[in-house]
């Protein structure tokens, strides 16, 4: 971004560009400018194959692109003199669904498609490597010409004759791609061209490259992004290369559960971590502290670009988002009015001394006594007297429910029913997903500016809450288009969200802050859990971040859905209004998850009844859009 | 009542086609259309009323060879030529060529009304390679049975609407000869389909160049398109780059694509024809002519039996007459 333009452009336009472009793909060149190195980066640049596992928006693409030679060049300030000093060179490829899906169909057996795909992959990677050689020569003014013998060897591995130099090789590889494209477009004609052996041309080419003086002792990385887009057999093809390549290494970016095949083309040969590759789970392996540090650096790198003349407008983004203590939040939610009513009720039935004790309690605690008495069905006076006798017991009870009871103050009422504010709360809502955090910051600042505020004032808790609701709604609506199963995910999430919302506003007499579930097979006969629809739903929910999952107590098999605890991603908590804190879990029967999609109204009622609750009052304002769904008409 | 439009505001968004030759005959009444004799008429019938317009003239064609097409699977069709049923693989140049030989006519009508894109597109390509006169036919629907544009809060089930991303048979592109990419979604009403494609293609933010059909089959349709696609258009900021092409005119779309190509000469064009069928026809024609610079992106919708009702105008596109000068230019 040009600083010189900063005086002419409004801050919101800057912010929108800096924070609104959450996707690495949309940032283009700015990606490198805004890059913040994550804690796991050193592990990634070792010569070992790596599997970078993470949900949408966790930064896989950013990191992989920064490992590419184009990325390194941009990160090094486009300083050509530094290129020869790099320890590694990476070529980046994002798996293109529209292309890889053409390698299937009834015209051929899978074994034949396997050979064809392996050949295509050879062409693809050789092409990328040859482009790199051309780029290197252009930028370093140092010849990357392979010897005639080497060119001939690579050519022969691709069934090309008489290849004398790199330019000729690149031209002929391109021609092979054209011919191969024509062949696949007419695959039923059966005129299979000469195919290369899986991985052989890549091996031969890299072997030739690393014998050039400038590449001796250098590592070559093949950076494959969106591995989940590959068909199952195609993953096995690449797995085979990962297992057996020793001249270069793969760095794979994949969504959780997107690495569906763990074997090579030999069914008995598994890829095992850490023997065959290093597994980096971005969310799990990153500690809370590491994420906080990384997130703050990433956001501050962005806001440092927002300038007024020579000075930055925001020096520390975390200071822009003040939080509320529970007591302050209770005041905002109108606890004082409630307590006044309770005071009026008590004043006729307790002594002035006892009333004075009541009046000296903080409002939330005073409210809690009344709320407890109402839900546990004994009188206020009785409860208050019990409080006076057993204060320590009541104190423990209050501490256990203090946060949960905030959800009851405005229940069934219009407007904000619960606040979600503060930098640390935003960190929790994002659940270590940098894209979600950027969205929260972006929406909050935009709303703040739209309200006529400026960047020298902090963002109000109300604005933060409304922005967090918006972000939840945005991501809910985006689910529909993320995959062909998007509608089912949306319905499941709407169903679960409503259940946890109702449970949150009725906490007393139950475990507080229930916002997780585990799946039980109690009525297993009602569903086949190996059923494709059920499995797709769970897999899709995890891959697209509708749900988070955590290893349960009896973890055995990665694919067994019952060995995990699940939680709606906290980014949706402000939209549905329940606690974002990972606390307690409830039981959900396998079949109920599907029934939430097919019969939402009845199933929500059934699950709430299992948990001794029922739907009362109006939907929160932001959920009224989905009234049709909740009434069973959608 | 007329609404004067200040053309100054449209400059840059709409391609001037006033000076371009017309290649379309429009029949307000479907019954008025009778194809030329000594031709072949390739068509498919669906349960949609508009695909049955052949009934008006079928009995009157003396030398007209009717070639009904039935879709078997994503890469295979069954075709009846002179009473003989033949199965044709759509990813077989030889079988498609043999089909043209067996039809044996130099003038081919390709009625795209009742045939899916993945079938008519390869048929169009082989027809253009083999016949001197290829004519497209399309019948506009009278109306849509459902609310044309999904409302906010309505959940749009893609799995009931699309099969997923894969190349149209015969139109796979394995190369991207240009360094930069622009993504050109040709829009219908269903914004979730656009969201899905953006998610799959992941185009650079500034290079999403949507096209909306203006004028639409009906005056309100462009607004439906904006409304239905509001979320992805807003989130990607692509609303700022929208261009317009006449909704029932493949050639208008072709010219807009040509215009984009001239503005983005270093860009590989990824075109997603998810709007009207005439627009899809324009996109496929553009791909046929500019093969190496273009990739078609398609999500293969599953057609609903009762999607539309009634019949509106019938359009006849003189494709060969259009394509020849284009190829030479």
């Amino acid at each position: 971004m040009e600083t010189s333009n900063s005086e002419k452009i409004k801050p919101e336009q800057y912010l929108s560009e800096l924070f609104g472009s959450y996707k690495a793909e949309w940032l283009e060149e700015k990606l490198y400018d805004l890059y913040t190195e994550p804690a796991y980066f050193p592990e990634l640049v070792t010569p070992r194959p790596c599997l970078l596992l993470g949900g949408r928006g966790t930064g896989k693409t950013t990191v992989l692109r920064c490992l590419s030679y184009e990325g390194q060049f941009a990160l090094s300030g486009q300083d050509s003199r530094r290129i020869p000093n790099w320890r590694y060179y990476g070529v980046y490829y994002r798996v293109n669904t529209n292309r890889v899906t053409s390698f299937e169909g009834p015209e051929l057996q899978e074994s034949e498609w396997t050979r064809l795909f392996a050949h295509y992959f050879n062409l693809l990677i050789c092409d990328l490597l040859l482009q790199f050689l051309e780029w290197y020569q252009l930028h370093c003014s140092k010849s990357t010409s392979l010897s005639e013998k080497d060119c001939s060897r690579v050519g022969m591995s691709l069934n090309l004759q008489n290849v004398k130099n790199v330019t000729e090789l690149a031209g002929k590889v391109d021609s092979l791609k054209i011919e191969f494209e024509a062949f696949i477009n007419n695959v039923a004609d059966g005129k299979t061209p000469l195919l290369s052996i899986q991985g052989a041309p890549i091996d031969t080419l890299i072997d030739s490259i690393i014998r050039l003086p400038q590449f001796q002792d250098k590592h070559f990385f093949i950076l494959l992004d969106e591995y989940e887009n590959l068909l199952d057999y195609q993953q096995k093809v690449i797995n085979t290369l990962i297992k057996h390549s020793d001249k270069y290494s793969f760095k794979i970016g994949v969504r959780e559960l997107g690495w569906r095949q763990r074997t090579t083309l030999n069914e008995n040969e598994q890829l095992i971590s850490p023997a065959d590759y290093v597994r980096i789970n971005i969310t799990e392996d990153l500690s809370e502290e590491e994420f906080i540090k990384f997130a703050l650096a990433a956001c501050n790198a962005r806001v440092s670009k927002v300038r007024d003349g020579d000075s930055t407008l925001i020096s520390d983004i975390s200071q822009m988002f003040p939080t509320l203590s529970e007591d302050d939040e209770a005041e905002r939610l109108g606890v004082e009015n409630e307590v006044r009513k309770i005071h009026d009720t008590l004043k006729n039935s307790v002594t002035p001394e006892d009333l004075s004790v009541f009046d000296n309690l903080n409002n939330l605690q005073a409210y809690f006594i009344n709320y407890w008495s109402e839900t546990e069905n004994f009188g206020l006076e009785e409860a208050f007297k019990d409080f006076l006798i057993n204060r320590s017991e009541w104190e423990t009870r209050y501490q256990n429910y203090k946060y949960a009871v905030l959800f009851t103050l405005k229940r069934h009422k219009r407007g904000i029913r619960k606040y979600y504010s503060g930098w640390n709360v935003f960190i929790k809502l994002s659940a270590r997903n940098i894209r979600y955090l950027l969205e929260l910051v972006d929406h909050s600042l935009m709303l703040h500016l739209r309200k006529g505020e400026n960047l020298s004032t902090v963002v109000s808790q109300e604005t933060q809450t409304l922005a967090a609701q918006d972000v939840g709604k945005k991501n809910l609506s985006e689910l529909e288009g993320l995959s062909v199963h998007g509608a089912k995910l949306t319905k499941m999430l709407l169903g679960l969200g409503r259940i946890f919302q109702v449970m949150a506003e009725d906490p007393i007499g139950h475990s507080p802050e229930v916002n997780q579930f585990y799946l039980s097979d109690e009525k297993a006969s009602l569903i086949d859990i190996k059923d494709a629809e059920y499995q797709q739903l769970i897999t899709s929910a995890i891959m697209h971040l509708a749900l988070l999952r955590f290893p349960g107590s009896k973890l055995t098999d990665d694919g067994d859905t019952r060995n995990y605890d699940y939680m709606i991603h906290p980014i949706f908590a402000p939209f549905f209004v329940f606690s974002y804190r990972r606390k307690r879990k409830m039981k959900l029967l396998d079949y109920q998850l599907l029934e939430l999609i097919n019969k939402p109204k009845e199933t929500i009622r059934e699950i709430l009844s299992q948990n001794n609750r029922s739907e009362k009052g109006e939907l929160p304002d932001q959920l009224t859009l989905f009234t049709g769904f909740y009434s069973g008409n959608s | 009542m007329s609404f004067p439009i200040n053309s100054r505001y449209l400059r840059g968004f709409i391609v001037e086609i006033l000076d371009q030759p017309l290649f379309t005959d429009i029949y307000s009444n479907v019954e008025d259309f009778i194809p030329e004799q000594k031709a072949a008429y390739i068509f498919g019938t669906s349960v949609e009323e508009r695909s049955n317009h052949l009934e008006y003239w079928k009995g009157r064609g003396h030398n007209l060879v009717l070639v009904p097409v039935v879709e078997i699977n994503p890469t295979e069709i069954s075709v009846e030529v002179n009473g003989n049923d033949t199965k044709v693989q759509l990813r077989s140049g030889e079988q498609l060529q043999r089909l043209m030989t067996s039809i044996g006519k130099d003038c081919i009508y390709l009625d795209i009304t009742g045939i899916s894109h993945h079938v008519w597109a390869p048929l169009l390509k082989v027809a253009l390679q083999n016949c001197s006169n290829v004519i497209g036919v399309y019948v506009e629907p009278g109306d849509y049975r459902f609310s044309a544009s999904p409302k906010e809060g309505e959940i749009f089930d893609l799995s009931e609407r699309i099969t997923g991303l894969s190349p149209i048979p015969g139109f796979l592109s394995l190369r991207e000869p240009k360094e930069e990419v622009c993504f050109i979604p040709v829009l219908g009403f269903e914004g979730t389909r656009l969201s899905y494609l953006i998610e799959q293609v992941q185009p650079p933010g500034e290079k999403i160049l949507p096209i909306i059909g203006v004028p639409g089959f009906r005056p309100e349709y462009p607004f439906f398109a904006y409304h239905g696609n509001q979320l992805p258009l807003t989130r990607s900021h692509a609303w700022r780059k929208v261009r317009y092409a006449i909704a029932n005119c493949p050639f208008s779309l072709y010219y807009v694509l040509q215009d984009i190509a001239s503005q983005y000469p270093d860009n590989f064009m990824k075109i997603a024809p998810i709007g009207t069928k005439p627009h899809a026809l324009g996109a496929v024609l553009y791909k046929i002519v500019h093969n190496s610079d273009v990739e078609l992106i398609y999500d293969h919708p599953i057609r609903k039996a009762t999607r539309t009702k009634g019949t509106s105008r019938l359009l006849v596109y003189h494709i060969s007459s259009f394509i020849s000068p284009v190829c030479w230019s």
Side-chain angles (χ1 to χ4, degrees):
Chain A
M1 186 167 298
E2 295 297 323
T3 313
S4 56
N5 288 338
S6 60
E7 284 164 12
K8 296 169 197 164
I9 301 174
K10 289 180 180 173
E12 55 265 43
Q13 281 173 282
Y14 266 135
L15 288 167
S16 173
E17 279 189 43
L18 293 164
F19 286 90
S21 306
Y22 319 113
K23 294 186 179 187
E25 302 74 28
W26 291 10
L27 279 167
E28 296 178 310
E29 289 309 306
K30 283 201 288 291
L31 170 79
Y32 306 113
D33 199 23
L34 298 170
Y35 176 66
T36 304
E37 191 172 290
Y40 56 80
F41 197 77
E43 235 177 328
L44 209 55
V45 294
T46 65
R48 305 202 54 209
C50 290
L51 188 83
L52 195 56
L53 201 70
R56 190 170 173 260
T58 46
K60 299 182 299 296
T61 299
T62 304
V63 165
L64 289 178
R65 282 181 58 182
C66 287
L67 283 173
S68 71
Y69 66 90
E70 297 99 326
Q72 272 200 93
F73 184 56
L75 286 173
S76 68
Q78 305 206 334
D79 184 352
S80 299
R81 289 166 304 175
R82 290 163 69 180
I83 298 172
N85 301 328
W86 296 350
R87 287 185 294 127
Y88 58 85
Y89 301 93
V91 290
Y92 174 89
Y93 176 70
R94 186 177 79 86
V95 176
N96 183 325
T97 312
N98 201 40
R99 292 179 191 166
V100 296
T101 49
S102 66
F103 290 86
E104 67 171 346
E107 299 95 335
L108 299 177
Q109 301 287 322
E110 188 174 283
S111 58
E112 293 169 285
W113 282 122
T114 301
R115 289 176 59 226
L116 292 173
F117 177 75
H119 175 66
Y120 168 62
F121 192 73
N122 287 340
L123 292 176
L124 192 73
I125 301 302
C126 285
D127 192 24
L128 290 173
L129 289 166
L130 291 166
Q131 282 176 36
F132 161 71
L133 287 181
E134 190 187 341
W135 177 90
Y136 187 97
Q137 185 160 311
L138 192 73
H139 284 81
C140 298
S141 307
K142 187 158 189 178
S143 169
T144 51
S145 280
L146 304 178
S147 68
E148 187 174 336
K149 191 178 160 195
D150 280 341
C151 289
S152 172
R153 280 172 59 226
V154 178
M156 279 193 287
S157 70
L158 288 163
N159 302 302
L160 294 167
Q161 304 301 317
N162 303 321
V163 182
K164 293 189 176 62
N165 56 51
V166 175
T167 313
E168 211 175 294
L169 182 60
K172 289 196 173 181
V173 166
D174 192 45
S175 301
L176 280 181
K177 278 173 82 178
I178 297 172
E179 285 167 26
F180 197 60
E181 177 185 294
F183 162 68
I184 298 291
N185 275 326
N186 296 284
V187 70
D189 289 340
K191 293 176 181 166
T192 312
L194 287 171
L195 301 176
S196 52
I197 297 169
Q198 181 176 312
I202 305 172
D203 282 346
T204 316
L205 180 54
I206 290 188
D207 188 47
S208 306
I209 294 172
I210 56 178
R211 280 192 285 110
L212 289 172
Q214 62 267 48
F215 297 124
Q216 281 172 9
D217 305 323
K218 305 288 185 189
H219 300 297
F220 278 83
F221 298 157
I222 295 175
L223 313 161
L224 284 190
D225 201 3
E226 304 200 6
Y227 203 63
E228 64 275 7
N229 291 349
L230 290 168
L231 304 176
D232 284 0
Y233 84 85
Q234 294 168 349
Q235 290 197 347
K236 289 183 190 174
V237 170
I238 314 278
N239 288 350
T240 311
L241 296 178
I242 294 172
K243 179 103 178 171
H244 298 292
S245 59
D246 53 4
K247 295 187 171 64
Y248 57 92
S249 44
F250 282 91
K251 310 288 173 184
I252 307 279
V254 64
R255 288 190 188 177
E256 195 170 356
L257 300 183
W259 194 30
R260 300 177 303 277
Q261 299 299 319
R262 305 294 174 90
T263 70
T264 65
L265 285 168
N266 173 355
E267 291 289 344
N268 300 317
E269 192 175 53
Q270 289 268 345
L271 253 72
I272 299 159
S273 170
D276 299 313
Y277 66 96
V278 179
R279 184 179 187 275
I280 302 171
N281 186 318
I282 296 179
T283 318
E284 285 173 16
D285 297 351
L286 203 64
S287 71
E288 182 87 0
E289 292 71 34
E290 282 170 332
F291 178 74
I292 290 171
K293 202 172 149 193
F294 166 71
L296 192 60
C299 289
N300 280 338
R302 282 166 164 78
V303 290
S304 69
K305 310 273 173 198
V306 186
R307 290 170 168 272
D308 182 9
D310 290 335
S311 57
T312 52
L313 290 172
I314 305 170
S315 55
D316 180 359
I317 192 78
S318 66
Q319 301 300 314
M320 291 292 289
F321 301 103
T323 191
L324 283 172
S325 68
E326 281 145 344
D327 289 322
D328 288 343
E329 182 170 349
E331 294 303 323
R332 298 269 184 113
L333 293 168
V335 74
E336 198 178 341
N337 277 343
E338 299 296 324
V339 172
R340 202 173 295 131
K341 286 182 222 159
I342 302 165
H343 169 97
D344 291 346
T345 311
L346 271 181
K347 72 179 177 193
N348 299 322
S349 53
V350 299
T351 64
E353 291 76 24
D354 286 349
L355 191 61
S356 153
V357 172
F358 179 82
D359 290 341
N360 283 326
L361 292 173
N362 77 42
N363 280 338
L364 186 55
Q365 192 165 15
Y367 167 81
F368 173 71
I369 294 168
N370 180 58
Y371 187 74
W372 181 275
S373 77
E374 280 178 3
T375 47
E376 292 293 293
N377 285 326
F378 56 100
L380 170 62
E381 186 188 335
E382 196 183 343
F384 183 57
K385 282 180 178 163
D386 188 54
F387 166 78
L388 293 171
I389 298 164
N390 301 305
R391 290 199 68 155
S392 136
E393 196 182 309
W394 273 88
E395 181 59 29
T396 309
R397 191 180 286 159
Y398 172 57
Q399 289 306 327
N400 285 342
Y401 283 90
K402 190 177 179 183
Y403 183 78
V405 88
L406 290 171
F407 288 86
T408 67
L409 277 159
K410 274 281 187 93
R411 64 181 182 157
H412 310 158
K413 291 184 181 149
R414 303 294 307 269
I416 291 177
R417 294 187 183 188
K418 170 78 185 71
Y419 284 86
Y420 296 83
S421 60
W423 175 252
N424 288 334
V425 172
F426 276 12
I427 294 272
K428 297 273 186 199
L429 293 179
S430 69
R432 298 183 209 176
N433 183 304
I434 189 67
R435 188 184 297 174
Y436 283 159
L437 184 69
L438 294 176
E439 287 184 24
L440 287 166
V441 171
D442 175 45
H443 274 65
S444 299
L445 293 179
M446 285 299 137
L447 209 53
H448 179 67
L449 292 172
R450 263 180 232 147
K451 285 184 168 177
E453 299 288 345
N454 58 51
L455 295 177
S456 61
T457 58
V458 298
V459 182
S460 73
Q461 288 87 353
E462 185 195 13
T463 301
Q464 292 181 56
T465 303
L466 294 174
Q469 284 178 5
D470 276 354
V471 170
K473 182 183 164 196
K474 170 188 172 287
N475 283 293
L476 177 76
S477 65
E478 276 190 359
L479 271 182
E480 278 178 69
L482 289 187
S483 81
V484 288
H485 310 295
K488 289 193 177 74
L489 286 187
T490 310
K491 289 177 183 175
M492 183 191 74
L493 197 55
L494 282 170
L496 288 171
R498 174 66 170 155
I499 289 163
F500 288 121
Q501 179 249 319
V502 172
M503 287 171 68
E505 60 183 22
D506 187 6
I508 307 292
H510 314 282
S511 301
E513 293 183 72
V514 174
N515 57 6
Q516 292 177 77
F517 62 91
Y518 63 95
L519 291 164
S520 158
D521 60 352
E522 255 172 50
K523 291 190 181 174
S525 59
L526 290 173
I527 187 178
D528 172 7
I529 69 148
K530 298 226 180 298
D531 177 74
E533 189 188 352
Y534 178 79
Q535 289 299 337
Q536 268 172 4
L537 180 69
I538 298 275
T539 306
S540 219
I542 303 296
M543 275 180 75
H544 299 298
L545 295 182
L547 298 179
L548 294 180
R549 68 172 193 173
F550 311 97
S553 48
K554 47 171 186 171
L555 186 63
T556 50
D557 175 8
D558 206 31
D560 191 341
T561 49
R562 292 203 194 97
N563 292 331
Y564 288 89
D565 294 335
Y566 299 88
M567 177 185 184
I568 294 186
H569 196 289
I571 199 70
F572 300 108
F575 180 72
F576 288 111
V577 195
F578 60 79
S579 171
Y580 60 86
R581 311 193 307 187
R582 194 183 153 200
K583 290 285 180 181
R584 294 171 184 85
K585 59 187 175 186
M586 66 169 191
K587 179 169 71 182
L588 210 60
L589 306 179
D590 287 325
Y591 79 94
Q592 287 175 327
L593 210 56
L594 282 183
E595 292 294 78
L596 273 177
I597 297 162
N598 304 324
K599 291 187 224 160
K601 189 178 171 188
E602 295 85 342
T603 314
I604 289 171
R605 192 182 297 155
E606 179 185 309
I607 296 169
L608 284 173
S609 161
Q610 254 167 239
N611 290 281
N612 304 315
R613 263 79 152 210
S614 60
E615 288 182 277
K616 289 174 198 147
E618 298 292 314
L619 289 167
D621 296 353
Q622 65 276 18
L623 282 184
T624 51
L625 257 182
F626 300 101
T627 306
F629 171 79
Y630 288 123
S631 59
N633 299 327
S634 180
Chain B
M1 188 186 291
S2 67
F3 297 91
I5 296 172
N6 186 337
S7 62
R8 267 192 316 131
Y9 297 117
L10 293 175
R11 205 166 295 151
F13 296 95
I14 197 157
V15 174
E16 273 302 334
I17 59 167
L18 296 178
D19 300 334
Q20 308 284 1
L22 290 174
F23 296 95
T24 307
D25 302 330
I26 301 175
Y27 295 84
S28 299
N29 190 349
V30 171
E31 294 166 40
D32 294 340
F33 166 68
I34 297 176
E36 285 177 29
Q37 301 304 306
K38 296 182 183 175
Y41 195 95
I42 302 175
F43 68 100
T45 43
S46 72
V47 283
E48 287 186 81
E49 196 180 329
R50 59 186 171 134
S51 72
N52 296 322
H53 68 95
L54 278 73
E55 299 304 323
Y56 295 118
W57 49 261
K58 221 157 120 182
R60 289 187 271 169
H62 319 295
N63 293 315
L64 191 71
V65 177
L66 288 176
V67 185
V69 173
V70 177
E71 299 166 20
I72 298 176
N73 65 41
T75 55
E76 194 175 17
I77 53 172
S78 168
V79 186
E80 188 192 320
V81 185
N82 300 320
N84 299 318
D85 273 336
T86 319
K87 285 186 176 168
V88 178
Q89 297 281 348
L90 295 167
R91 287 200 286 189
S92 166
E94 288 179 1
Q95 291 182 34
L96 287 164
Q97 190 78 35
R98 276 202 294 275
L99 172 67
M100 285 298 133
T101 309
S102 68
I103 290 172
K105 298 284 182 185
D106 206 33
C107 176
I108 296 263
Y109 283 89
L110 179 60
D111 186 340
I112 62 174
T113 314
I115 318 180
S116 303
H117 294 14
H118 78 273
V119 174
W120 63 253
L123 289 174
L124 174 67
K125 187 155 94 173
V126 73
L128 284 167
Q129 285 161 351
N130 287 272
C131 310
S132 62
N133 191 12
V134 179
I135 299 166
V137 177
Y138 176 71
V139 181
E140 292 176 358
D143 200 358
Y144 287 93
R145 285 184 190 271
F146 54 89
S147 149
S149 147
K151 293 181 184 63
E152 198 181 8
E154 269 179 30
I155 298 158
F156 188 87
D157 197 340
L158 271 179
S159 69
E160 289 173 9
R161 323 269 179 140
I162 65 162
T163 312
L165 212 63
S166 67
I168 291 172
F171 288 86
L172 164 70
S173 307
L174 288 180
R175 294 167 67 245
E176 274 178 37
K178 294 179 175 176
E179 273 189 19
E180 296 191 32
V181 168
C182 63
F183 177 54
I184 306 160
V186 187
L187 300 184
F189 302 146
E190 299 158 339
T192 312
R193 286 178 69 189
L194 175 61
S195 298
Y196 172 76
L197 290 175
I198 291 177
E199 180 65 24
Q200 293 295 322
V201 176
Q202 302 207 345
E206 290 302 306
K207 296 278 189 64
I208 302 174
L209 313 169
I211 299 176
I212 287 179
V214 175
F217 292 169
R218 288 171 50 159
E220 65 272 29
Y221 283 2
F223 301 103
F224 288 175
Y226 267 112
H227 187 245
N229 291 285
Q230 185 185 350
L231 283 179
L233 285 178
T234 311
R235 283 172 193 161
S236 62
H237 306 295
W239 61 271
R240 295 184 288 203
K241 309 250 175 185
V242 169
R243 285 144 198 269
Y244 307 107
I246 301 166
N248 63 13
C249 180
F251 312 121
S252 168
L253 191 278
Y254 191 103
Y255 292 135
V256 173
L257 293 173
Q258 213 166 33
D259 191 52
I260 292 173
S262 67
Q263 282 184 36
Y264 295 85
D266 299 326
N267 282 245
F268 182 70
M269 294 164 74
K270 296 194 176 196
I271 306 171
I274 57 170
T276 68
K277 261 192 176 165
H279 274 182
L281 179 58
V284 169
L285 284 175
Y286 194 83
K287 165 70 182 167
I288 289 171
V289 176
H290 303 87
N291 182 38
S292 62
D293 295 337
V294 176
E295 180 174 6
L296 291 177
I297 309 285
Y298 196 54
D299 58 356
H300 301 270
I302 302 158
R303 278 184 298 164
K304 286 241 177 190
T306 52
R307 202 166 68 102
T308 66
K309 59 184 176 186
T311 295
S312 185
R313 288 169 295 192
L314 183 145
L315 299 112
V316 176
Y317 307 119
H318 295 276
I319 298 171
S320 293
S321 309
F322 172 78
I323 215 91
S324 302
V326 162
C327 290
W328 296 332
S329 63

